[in-house]
Amino acid sequence: MTGETTVRTAVRIHGRSAQREAVRALLDGLRARSGHLVVTGEPGLGRTALLQWAADSFRAGPVLRLGPGEDRGAPATAGELLTTLRKAAGEAPLLVCVDDAHLWDAPARSALSHAAERLHTAGRVALLLSVAGHRAVDPEFARLPVVRLDPLAPSHADALLDEVTDGSTDPAVREHLLAEAEGNPALLLALVRRLTPAELRGLRPLPRPTADAGALAAVAGSALTCLSGDACDLLLTVAAAVRAADGPDVDTRLVLDALRHLDPASAPTANPLPDVLAGARCRLSLIHISA
C-alpha cells in the first residue's frame, strides 16, 4: 500500500515565459485601451495558475473574477455584462478573469464573446479567459486572440520536481516520474504526492502503474464533470491502459474486460464514446485536440 507523502507547494510558475509575456502585454495595454486574450491548454497544464499569476501581478486597478457558479453567475446578455464591468472598473483599469469559460452555457458564452468585442465601452478592461484545450475552441471564442500552454520543457519539469521535493528524489525515480508526467505539471505533482518518502528516495519500489486512475482523475477531473459515470470509468481505464502499454492505443476488448472485472454487475460498452476518445478497428485511443 502506498501513502501520500508531504510535498511542498510550488510557489512559482515554471516556464511559460512566452505566455506570461502575452499576458503582460494585455495588462500593459490598459494604459491606453481595452483588450482580451484566451488561454488554452489541456487539463493540468496550468491555465488556472496563469490566470492567478495575472491577478496577483495586476496593481493598476481591481480584479473581477466571473464564473458560472451561483455565487458568481454569468450575466445573461452582453449589455448586462458590460454594465457589470463598467461598475466594477469605475475610473481605474479593470482585469476580468474568467477561468473555464467553456463551462458557461451557450447563451452566457455568446454574451461573453459579444462583450469582448465592445470592451472599450466599459472603460479600460482586460478580459482574460481560459478554455480547455482538450476540446475544440467554442465558436464564440474563435475570433479572440489565443495563447496556448504546451507541456513543460524537460528542464522546467525537472525544476518543478526539485522545488516540491527539495531535490531529494532518487535519480531513477526522478527519471520515471518525469517520463510518466510528460511535461504536465499537475500530473507530476499528483504522482509525487502519491508516493511515500521511501518511494521517492528509491528505498521501496514504486506502485504500478504509477499514474493510476486516481492520479489521472485528480488532473482531468474538471474535464470529466460533463460525462456520465460509465463514460468516466471508460475514459480513465483507457488512459491508464494506454500509459501502461506505452503505445498510442489499446485493445477495446481488454478495456471492457477490465471494466467488467472492476464492476461485475455492470455491462460496459464503448458506445457512445466520450468526445476525447477515438475508436477504430477494435482499438481505443485518446484524442488530443489542438485549440
Side-chain angles (χ1 to χ4, degrees):
M1 177 181 293
T2 62
E4 291 188 352
T5 187
T6 301
V7 177
R8 292 178 55 190
T9 301
V11 297
R12 62 189 182 92
I13 294 179
H14 292 266
R16 311 306 188 208
S17 58
Q19 293 84 357
R20 284 184 288 174
E21 189 60 33
V23 173
R24 282 196 192 95
L26 174 70
L27 302 184
D28 290 345
L30 283 177
R31 298 188 186 101
R33 64 185 182 279
S34 295
H36 40 255
L37 184 66
V38 178
V39 178
T40 70
E42 299 198 10
L45 291 184
R47 290 179 288 114
T48 299
L50 186 60
L51 264 63
Q52 185 61 53
W53 174 85
D56 293 342
S57 303
F58 190 61
R59 298 286 185 272
V63 176
L64 177 65
R65 292 177 172 86
L66 294 178
E70 293 180 359
D71 58 334
R72 295 182 294 171
T77 69
E80 291 176 6
L81 177 53
L82 288 168
T83 298
T84 298
L85 301 185
R86 193 176 296 114
K87 290 179 179 179
E91 298 299 321
L94 172 69
L95 170 61
V96 182
C97 294
V98 184
D99 201 7
D100 290 334
H102 57 280
L103 297 181
W104 289 28
D105 61 28
R109 292 198 308 271
S110 178
L112 188 60
S113 67
H114 284 94
E117 298 171 353
R118 297 162 52 195
L119 285 179
H120 63 281
T121 66
R124 289 175 293 160
V125 179
L127 180 60
L128 184 60
L129 315 178
S130 83
V131 177
H134 67 282
R135 48 180 282 156
V137 170
D138 294 288
E140 294 89 350
F141 307 135
R143 296 189 302 274
L144 304 183
V146 173
V147 60
R148 180 171 180 81
L149 296 176
D150 294 315
L152 291 177
S155 60
H156 294 139
D158 195 61
L160 173 60
L161 182 57
D162 269 345
E163 180 183 357
V164 298
T165 63
D166 291 323
S168 62
T169 309
D170 173 79
V173 174
R174 170 189 295 275
E175 182 179 356
H176 178 74
L177 291 175
L178 293 174
E180 286 285 289
E182 296 182 336
N184 187 304
L187 181 54
L188 179 59
L189 294 177
L191 298 182
V192 171
R193 292 190 180 105
R194 186 177 177 228
L195 303 182
T196 65
E199 290 166 343
L200 274 174
R201 294 184 175 90
L203 303 178
R204 294 191 60 183
L206 298 179
R208 300 288 181 170
T210 310
D212 67 348
L216 296 172
V219 174
S222 62
L224 307 178
T225 55
C226 61
L227 300 179
S228 67
D230 289 343
C232 285
D233 290 343
L234 174 63
L235 178 58
L236 291 172
T237 302
V238 171
V242 166
R243 186 168 292 276
D246 195 25
D249 54 22
V250 291
D251 186 281
T252 303
R253 180 179 55 82
L254 294 179
V255 170
L256 297 181
D257 285 347
L259 289 171
R260 292 189 188 95
H261 179 74
L262 292 172
D263 185 3
S266 69
T269 175
N271 289 303
L273 290 174
D275 63 2
V276 291
L277 285 180
R281 296 184 180 180
C282 300
R283 308 287 293 182
L284 289 172
S285 61
L286 295 167
I287 296 174
H288 296 276
I289 302 177
S290 299

